[in-house]
Amino acid sequence: MPTLKVTVGERDRLDQRTRERIKAAQEGAELADAQPVLNFGSYAELSQLLRPTNLELLEVIAEHDPESIRETATLVDRDYKQVHQNLSELSEIGVIDFESGSPGQAKQPVLAYDGLEIDLPFAASENESSAATP
């Protein structure tokens, strides 16, 4: 599994990088596998991912590979309903997936990535024309 790069307010720079990669591919250049990127528009949006309760859930999933949401809730000693809501949020932003064998079986939370790499530049680099303004 790859590591997910998390950024804030860099949508324009990422869009430009994507256009450059598409152009290079169209011109026949061989491209190395790109690292997946999740961009948040603001620090407030990023805080959803970085809440201590969510980070604890990610750690428990990585360490214990729970078979269900209920087992995950037991491992973190929290209410099932709250854990279900937090895991659903993490699934919506693409950090975890749910697997189930057949209808009626419990949904198993699984990590979508090996880890997170947080990239938060506070000012524009020399190669960028504008700073990220979350």
Side-chain angles (χ1 to χ4, degrees):
M1 268 188 289
T3 299
L4 177 65
K5 182 175 183 176
V6 178
T7 63
V8 175
E10 296 193 21
R11 195 158 283 140
D12 292 339
R13 186 178 66 86
L14 293 173
D15 289 346
Q16 178 61 32
R17 183 171 174 245
T18 300
R19 285 190 292 275
E20 289 169 1
R21 286 183 56 83
I22 291 170
K23 183 178 178 185
Q26 289 172 337
E27 293 172 354
E30 289 190 33
L31 303 175
D33 288 339
Q35 180 181 26
V37 176
L38 174 61
N39 185 66
F40 290 96
S42 69
Y43 292 130
E45 290 176 16
L46 174 65
S47 71
Q48 177 184 358
L49 170 63
L50 298 180
R51 274 186 275 176
T53 53
N54 283 348
L55 294 176
E56 179 185 31
L57 289 171
L58 294 173
E59 184 176 58
V60 162
I61 293 168
E63 290 179 7
H64 298 283
D65 194 27
E67 304 250 341
S68 66
I69 296 171
R70 188 163 308 284
E71 182 181 346
T72 306
T74 300
L75 288 167
V76 295
D77 194 27
R78 290 182 42 216
D79 180 66
Y80 170 85
K81 200 172 190 179
Q82 293 171 341
V83 170
H84 184 277
Q85 180 179 356
N86 291 139
L87 290 175
S88 295
E89 290 172 355
L90 291 171
S91 176
E92 286 176 22
I93 59 177
V95 176
I96 69 161
D97 294 315
F98 287 112
E99 292 182 354
S100 61
S102 62
Q105 275 193 326
K107 295 192 300 185
Q108 179 182 16
V110 294
L111 297 176
Y113 302 96
D114 284 334
L116 302 174
E117 177 184 312
I118 311 293
D119 184 9
L120 298 174
F122 295 113
S125 70
E126 293 175 18
N127 296 333
E128 295 178 34
S129 60
S130 64
T133 51

